[in-house]
């Protein structure tokens, strides 16, 4: 049976799922299996967690950094009690220490300072005086500016709220927090509790919420104290295995050169995948004993592999990072990036890749308790290339069933905010909705154009539809192009043209000259030659060549610098029916003789300045010193006995393997000169 086939029986699938569940339930935490986090001493200052320390260092080293601002907005339709909303937010800030925390340098790293009481205010911005598109444009601009406004981690309250009034019964609530105190899970906690507090304040009910067993500071202190011993060693051993060997650095083809320093300016491209495709992908996931998330990881990595041609791909994916139950109701920054690494050397089928991704994900979940920052430090300690943060592409599957904001009597809908900042080269945010799977691709604008991001999502949609239809396809054979790109490619490849009857090059030049009397035919720097003069001089040369019995299938050397004389010689030889042999005047005489011998040329058309360089024995016509003799010939071309199958010119090989050889070339048709010019040459003499 092919290794690419990954059949799983019902019994095997159940066994694998039970084993995975048991591993996840029994996983060893950093605290040696401890399930309770002790409260720190009252009044003691907690250290920053490992994740917070990384953001602190980044903030200190990057002025005006706003990429780690987390803006969210909800459009509210209905009468909002702004006083109750402000009071509910103030109660939340009082409840969660993380929202009253500032960060300060310490002897062993940054520390958290929690303000016991803060005066939280809901900012208000009345836009009701504007109407229509002007109001929406002003709203978008102000929300974007607020989203980008930098936090001072040592001074500012790290949660801001603004209520934009659009009319009597329409407003927008915008919350902006710093990632150092708020993650995606925390937003669900905040919305759930804000909904309950607002409803209680409006109805006169109790605003008492269940007491929090610990604070985020307790967790941070516990994490620091627990990051030693056998548990950490076991996690490190696993991740060392995942990251063994040369670590890949994703170098996607970019629209602009990669800057020397990390850029954070960004934008977002969006696309929706139809529900029917999603159902097929879910069936594929179920058949493979995996999940939709794992299918998306495999597809994302496959597309990165195809775009880059890189056989080793690491993608980052955040985990909730809440190791014990006491942390589930806290607002704080718990996210811990997991690394999913896949290899494509053997060009696996998508089904085989999905099986590998499934095992990688299960292993990563089992060992997610190790702080990512400890892993980076371990790699640096071992002096192995880490290229921190080890990945440039991220995939996040957002929980759409998490608690959203609910206010009594008010219809609420989410609003996107384009705040122009990103953290990585590419971040794919996925979320499932009734109308399908939503993809938001955040991309660095100093690397990628908007059209490139749109094309990436189009290719991902095509790839997902293909694997939903047939997951046994090899990764290399999965289609990527969208229908529009197929049409564009077909148009590019439709090069069929009516060329007409075959004609000689001489005939085509003669036809091009007709009707162009007075127009410039050849231009070389400041020197130009009209069509009438060109054809007259070329005709006189052709008559002279025919008078010495030069004709079809015979060759004539052409030795001249790049000039109008060079073109006169070329056209004159062609009009005689013979083929020309280009000879460079700066070549040694011996080399010129080899070329003449190899091509069989007995006559040479040249200029007096080059006559002394030519080998003995050749018959020579000089365009300049023989001009008087040439001028005695007719001014119109003679009959040309050449056919479309006759030689047009002969190139002589370098002779590096031995004796130089002449290569004959046929020219069947000739495109009419563009803009009336047969040839344009630079002012400087180019030699090739």
């Amino acid at each position: 049976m092919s290794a690419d086939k990954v059949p799983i029986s019902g019994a095997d699938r159940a066994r694998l799922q039970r084993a995975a569940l048991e591993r996840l339930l029994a996983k060893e935490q950093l605290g040696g299996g401890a399930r309770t986090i002790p409260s720190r001493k009252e009044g003691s200052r907690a250290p920053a967690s490992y994740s917070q320390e990384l953001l602190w260092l980044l903030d200190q080293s990057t002025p005006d950094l706003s990429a780690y601002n987390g803006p969210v907005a909800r459009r509210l339709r209905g009468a909002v009690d702004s006083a109750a909303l402000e009071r509910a937010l103030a109660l939340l800030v009082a409840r969660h220490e993380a929202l009253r925390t500032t960060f300060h340098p310490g002897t062993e790293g940054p520390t958290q300072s929690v303000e016991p009481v803060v005066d939280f205010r809901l900012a208000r911005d009345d836009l009701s005086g504007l109407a229509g598109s002007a109001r929406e444009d002003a709203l978008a601009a102000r929300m974007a500016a607020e989203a980008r406004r930098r936090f001072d981690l040592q001074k500012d309250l790290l949660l801001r709220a603004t209520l934009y009034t659009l009319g009597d019964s329409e407003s927008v609530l915008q919350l902006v927090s710093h990632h150092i105190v708020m993650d995606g899970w925390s937003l669900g906690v905040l919305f759930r509790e804000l909904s309950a507090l607002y409803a209680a304040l409006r109805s006169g009910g109790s605003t008492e919420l269940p007491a929090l067993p610990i604070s985020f500071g307790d967790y941070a202190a516990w994490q620091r104290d627990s990051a030693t011993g056998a548990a950490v060693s076991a996690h490190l051993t696993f991740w060392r295995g995942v990251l063994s060997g040369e670590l890949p650095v994703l170098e996607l083809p970019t629209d602009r050169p990669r800057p020397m320093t990390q850029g954070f300016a960004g934008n977002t491209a969006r696309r929706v995948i139809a529900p029917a495709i999603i159902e097929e992908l879910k069936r594929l996931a179920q058949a493979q004993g995996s999940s939709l998330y794992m299918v998306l990881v495999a597809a994302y990595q496959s597309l990165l592999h195809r775009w880059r041609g890189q056989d080793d791909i690491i993608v980052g994916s955040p985990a909730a990072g809440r190791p014990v139950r006491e942390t589930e109701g806290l607002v704080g920054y718990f996210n811990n990036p997991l690394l999913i690494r896949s290899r494509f050397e053997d060009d696996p089928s998508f089904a085989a890749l999905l099986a590998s991704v499934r095992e990688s994900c299960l292993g990563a979940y089992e060992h997610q308790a190790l702080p990512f920052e400890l892993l980076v430090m371990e790699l640096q300690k071992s002096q192995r290339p880490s290229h921190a943060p080890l990945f440039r592409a991220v995939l996040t599957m957002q929980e759409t069933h998490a608690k959203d904001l609910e206010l009594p009597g008010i219809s609420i809908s989410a609003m996107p905010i384009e705040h122009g900042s990103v953290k990585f080269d590419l971040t794919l945010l996925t979320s499932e909705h009734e109308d399908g799977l939503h993809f938001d691709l955040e991309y660095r604008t100093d690397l990628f154009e908007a059209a490139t991001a749109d094309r990436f999502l189009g290719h991902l949609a095509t790839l997902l539809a293909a694997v939903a239809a047939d997951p046994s396809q090899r990764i290399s054979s999965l289609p990527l192009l969208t229908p529009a790109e197929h049409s564009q490619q077909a148009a590019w490849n439709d090069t069929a043209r009516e060329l007409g009857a075959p004609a000689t090059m001489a005939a085509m030049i003669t036809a091009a000259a007709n009707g162009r009397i007075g127009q410039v035919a050849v231009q070389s720097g400041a020197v130009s030659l009209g069509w009438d003069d060109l054809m007259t001089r070329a005709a006189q040369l052709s008559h002279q060549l025919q008078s010495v019995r030069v004709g079809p299938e015979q060759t004539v050397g052409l030795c001249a610098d790049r000039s109008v004389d060079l073109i006169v010689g070329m056209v004159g030889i062609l009009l005689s029916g013979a083929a020309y042999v280009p000879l460079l005047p700066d070549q040694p005489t011996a080399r010129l003789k080899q070329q003449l011998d190899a091509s069989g040329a007995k006559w040479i058309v040249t200029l007096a300045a080059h006559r002394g360089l030519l080998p003995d024995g050749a018959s020579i016509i000089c365009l300049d010193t023989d001009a008087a003799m040439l001028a005695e010939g007719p001014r119109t071309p003679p009959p040309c006995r050449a056919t479309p199958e006759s030689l047009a010119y002969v190139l002589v090989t370098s002779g590096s393997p031995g004796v130089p050889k002449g290569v004959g070339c046929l020219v069947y048709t000739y495109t009419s000169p563009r803009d009336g010019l047969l040839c344009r040459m630079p002012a400087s003499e180019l030699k090739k």
Side-chain angles (χ1 to χ4, degrees):
M1 180 178 294
S2 169
D4 287 326
K5 303 296 183 182
V6 191
I8 303 178
S9 67
D12 287 339
R13 187 179 301 113
R15 177 180 56 79
L16 289 170
Q17 290 173 337
R18 282 197 304 272
L21 181 60
E22 290 169 1
R23 290 201 304 270
L24 291 173
L25 292 175
K27 66 180 180 180
E28 185 177 33
Q29 300 298 324
L30 282 175
R35 288 289 175 176
T36 301
I37 296 175
S39 299
R40 68 187 190 280
K41 293 180 181 179
E42 187 174 350
S44 64
R45 180 173 287 192
S49 70
Y50 285 110
S51 298
Q52 287 179 325
E53 181 176 9
L54 186 63
L55 292 191
W56 159 265
L57 293 172
L58 188 59
D59 180 84
Q60 296 298 296
S61 63
T62 311
D64 300 323
L65 177 65
S66 63
Y68 288 88
N69 287 10
V72 295
R74 297 292 184 267
R75 188 179 289 269
L76 314 177
R77 290 182 171 86
V80 176
D81 186 338
S82 62
L85 185 60
E86 181 177 59
R87 178 60 180 156
L89 286 166
L91 289 171
L92 280 176
V93 172
R95 173 176 170 79
H96 293 280
E97 279 191 4
L99 301 180
R100 294 179 278 116
T101 298
T102 53
F103 295 83
H104 306 271
T107 56
E108 297 182 0
T111 60
Q112 304 183 58
S113 176
V114 180
E115 295 295 325
V117 178
V118 296
D119 183 19
F120 183 84
R121 296 292 181 182
L122 172 66
R124 294 167 172 84
D125 192 350
D126 191 349
L127 300 177
S128 58
L130 301 174
S133 60
R135 185 184 65 186
E136 292 301 317
D137 291 345
L139 173 65
R142 296 189 191 190
M143 290 174 61
E146 177 64 9
R148 289 192 296 267
R149 186 157 64 92
R150 186 179 184 274
F151 287 99
D152 185 333
L153 299 186
Q154 298 189 57
K155 298 178 181 179
D156 292 343
L157 196 66
L158 300 181
L159 173 68
R160 300 193 295 258
T162 305
L163 184 66
Y164 301 92
T165 301
L166 307 181
D168 292 338
S169 59
E170 186 175 8
S171 55
V172 170
L173 174 64
Q174 180 182 24
L175 303 177
V176 184
S177 60
H178 195 285
H179 203 31
I180 202 169
V181 296
M182 177 88 72
D183 56 19
W185 183 301
S186 299
L187 183 62
V189 173
L190 187 146
F191 277 157
R192 180 177 65 247
E193 295 184 353
L194 179 59
S195 301
L197 290 170
Y198 179 88
L201 289 168
R202 289 284 294 158
S203 65
S206 173
T207 57
E208 291 294 325
L209 295 175
L212 296 173
I214 60 171
S215 68
F216 186 86
D218 297 333
Y219 161 77
W222 170 82
Q223 184 195 53
R224 293 279 183 174
D225 292 341
S226 303
T228 57
V232 171
S233 178
H235 294 314
L236 281 174
T237 297
F238 169 80
W239 287 112
R240 286 193 197 105
V242 171
L243 301 176
S244 61
E246 184 77 15
L247 292 181
V249 180
L250 183 62
E251 295 285 0
L252 288 172
T254 59
D255 298 310
R256 302 182 184 89
R258 183 177 293 275
M260 295 296 292
T261 57
Q262 170 77 32
F264 295 97
N267 208 338
T268 304
R270 294 183 169 88
R271 184 173 288 260
V272 178
I273 306 299
I277 299 296
I278 303 309
E279 291 305 313
E280 291 296 327
L281 294 175
K282 287 181 177 179
R283 280 191 280 272
L284 167 62
Q286 185 177 16
Q288 291 284 101
S290 60
S291 64
L292 178 60
Y293 163 78
M294 295 173 185
V295 171
L296 296 178
V297 170
Y300 189 41
Q301 290 185 317
S302 297
L303 185 55
L304 293 172
H305 158 69
R306 290 283 298 276
W307 267 47
R308 177 63 182 94
Q310 187 171 312
D311 289 336
D312 193 354
I313 301 289
I314 294 179
V315 163
S317 188
R322 295 177 184 249
V324 294
R325 185 176 296 275
E326 290 95 324
T327 62
E328 292 180 359
L330 295 181
V331 168
Y333 179 36
F334 293 89
N335 272 359
N336 194 37
L338 302 181
L339 307 179
I340 311 299
R341 186 176 189 179
S342 293
R343 292 178 170 85
F344 295 83
E345 293 93 341
D346 298 328
D347 190 20
S349 69
F350 187 83
L353 175 67
L354 178 57
S356 174
V357 167
R358 174 184 177 279
E359 292 304 311
S360 296
C361 289
L362 290 177
Y365 298 154
E366 187 174 352
H367 295 278
Q368 66 176 299
L370 180 72
F372 175 73
E373 294 69 28
L374 286 183
L375 178 59
V376 172
M377 288 189 288
E378 173 67 18
L379 293 174
Q380 291 174 340
K381 186 190 307 180
S382 61
Q383 296 183 343
R384 294 175 58 246
S386 62
H387 300 289
L390 303 178
F391 51 86
R392 288 176 172 172
V394 172
L395 184 141
T396 299
M397 193 161 191
Q398 299 172 309
E399 179 57 65
T400 54
H401 303 297
K403 179 71 173 182
D404 206 325
L405 184 62
E406 294 179 359
L407 305 179
I410 297 174
S411 172
I412 301 176
S413 58
M415 288 185 65
I417 302 176
E418 303 293 351
H419 67 296
S421 295
V422 297
K423 306 176 186 68
F424 303 96
D425 288 6
L426 293 177
T427 300
L428 183 64
L429 307 172
T430 68
S431 55
E432 191 175 358
H433 300 265
E434 290 184 359
D435 61 339
L437 191 65
H438 288 213
F439 285 158
D440 288 359
L441 182 67
E442 297 179 349
Y443 61 94
R444 281 176 54 181
T445 51
D446 61 346
L447 297 179
F448 303 104
E449 297 282 358
T452 301
D454 289 335
R455 186 165 62 252
F456 187 92
L457 286 180
H459 289 182
L460 182 59
T462 301
L463 187 149
L464 285 171
V467 301
D470 182 9
S472 67
Q473 296 178 81
R474 298 276 181 177
I475 300 300
S476 63
S477 63
L478 289 172
L480 299 183
L481 298 184
T482 64
E485 287 176 324
H486 275 296
S487 298
Q488 185 181 52
Q489 189 179 59
W492 286 345
N493 290 332
D494 183 14
T495 57
R497 296 293 183 272
E498 180 57 49
L499 300 178
T504 64
M505 196 169 181
M508 295 300 291
I509 294 175
T510 301
N514 292 334
R516 286 195 168 96
I517 301 302
Q519 296 183 24
V520 174
V522 183
Q523 183 174 316
S524 179
V527 180
S528 62
L529 194 64
W531 275 99
D532 47 350
D533 290 335
L534 169 64
M535 296 306 293
T536 295
R537 293 179 59 187
Q540 291 165 342
L541 174 61
S542 66
H543 279 287
Q544 181 63 28
L545 289 171
Q546 284 193 358
S547 71
V548 294
R549 302 185 184 281
V550 170
E553 303 305 317
Q554 292 180 301
T555 56
V556 177
L558 178 59
C559 183
D561 296 311
R562 290 197 173 203
S563 62
V564 295
D565 292 315
L566 177 68
I567 304 304
V568 169
M570 181 190 76
V571 176
I573 294 170
L574 291 171
L575 291 178
S576 74
Y580 66 89
V581 182
L583 304 172
L584 294 179
D586 60 353
Q587 293 286 330
T589 301
R591 169 63 178 161
L592 294 175
K593 186 177 187 307
Q594 284 183 327
Q595 291 176 305
L596 291 170
D597 292 343
S599 63
K602 304 300 182 184
W603 283 85
I604 302 175
V605 174
T606 186
L607 299 170
H610 307 314
R611 185 165 191 156
L613 303 175
L614 299 174
D616 296 333
S619 300
I620 294 174
I621 298 175
C622 285
L623 293 172
D624 46 3
T625 57
D626 292 335
M629 178 266 293
L630 294 172
E632 296 176 357
R635 299 173 62 86
T636 57
C640 181
R641 300 192 307 276
T643 69
E645 288 76 30
S646 299
L647 285 176
Y649 60 94
V650 174
L651 299 179
V652 180
T653 65
S654 64
S656 55
V659 179
K661 297 179 176 61
V663 180
C665 304
L666 307 180
V667 178
Y668 289 91
T669 59
Y670 183 81
T671 304
S672 297
R674 182 180 179 184
D675 300 328
L677 274 174
L678 176 65
C679 180
R680 185 194 304 275
M681 290 177 286
S684 60
E685 292 184 356
L686 302 179
K687 298 176 182 179
K688 296 184 180 179

